[in-house]
Amino acid sequence: MNTSDVDRFEKLAGQVLGLYEEMSILSKKSPNDAVNKFKLKFINRQLSESNELLAERYRPFDDFDIFSEDDVPQNSDVVFILSQYLQCMEKLRSDHVVIQNGRWYWRVEGGEGDKVDEHGYTLIRSTKPKHLKD
């Protein structure tokens, strides 16, 4: 990963989390209702970008890419899939962060003009991985 991957990840993770939260609300009210095509278009766009970013190593399911527009999913199906993507995104992040001086940082390949360590890595401020306890 590099600095632009971190920027892309942060934006995408926030968007997927927002979709998850919105769909969770809908799913609690009407879990078996179909997702409308307008929402499905944006959900599929974020899933497609997530698949690209997560690559084979971090993707939650080998045999799932996006939802079919012909076989529209239910609200609960979307919540299930988005939660799996969020978990895998957190795994990717936790594999690329380190703690130094009590703060968490992404440790990524440095680019031109970045301050790098002896191994060519640079640090970008992050948060503690969610699965770690205090």
Side-chain angles (χ1 to χ4, degrees), residues 74-121:
Q74 298 175 344
N75 290 329
S76 61
D77 298 332
V78 173
V79 170
F80 169 75
I81 291 294
L82 291 175
S83 70
Q84 297 303 306
Y85 273 80
L86 287 171
Q87 292 299 316
C88 290
M89 289 175 131
E90 185 58 24
K91 171 65 174 144
L92 181 150
R93 191 176 76 77
S94 67
D95 284 353
H96 291 88
V97 295
V98 295
I99 190 167
Q100 287 191 358
N101 301 321
R103 293 188 173 155
W104 287 93
Y105 296 91
W106 285 91
R107 185 172 184 254
V108 297
E109 296 171 10
E112 189 174 321
D114 289 337
K115 181 180 175 184
V116 296
D117 65 14
E118 64 275 4
H119 304 290
Y121 291 101

Side-chain angles (χ1 to χ4, degrees), residues 27-127:
S27 182
K28 286 179 184 168
K29 287 196 272 185
S30 307
N32 298 324
D33 281 0
V35 177
N36 70 46
K37 292 199 184 248
F38 177 78
K39 288 183 184 88
L40 190 58
K41 177 177 79 169
F42 291 101
I43 291 165
N44 278 340
R45 183 180 302 155
Q46 298 316 110
L47 290 174
S48 182
E49 288 184 35
S50 296
N51 288 334
E52 189 178 307
L53 182 69
L54 293 171
E56 187 177 328
R57 179 175 179 193
Y58 292 100
R59 279 183 60 178
F61 305 106
D62 294 335
D63 58 348
F64 178 82
D65 292 313
I66 61 173
F67 291 104
S68 169
E69 291 184 12
D70 297 328
D71 185 20
V72 179
Q74 298 175 344
N75 290 329
S76 61
D77 298 332
V78 173
V79 170
F80 169 75
I81 291 294
L82 291 175
S83 70
Q84 297 303 306
Y85 273 80
L86 287 171
Q87 292 299 316
C88 290
M89 289 175 131
E90 185 58 24
K91 171 65 174 144
L92 181 150
R93 191 176 76 77
S94 67
D95 284 353
H96 291 88
V97 295
V98 295
I99 190 167
Q100 287 191 358
N101 301 321
R103 293 188 173 155
W104 287 93
Y105 296 91
W106 285 91
R107 185 172 184 254
V108 297
E109 296 171 10
E112 189 174 321
D114 289 337
K115 181 180 175 184
V116 296
D117 65 14
E118 64 275 4
H119 304 290
Y121 291 101
T122 190
L123 300 177
I124 302 169
R125 188 77 189 270
S126 184
T127 57

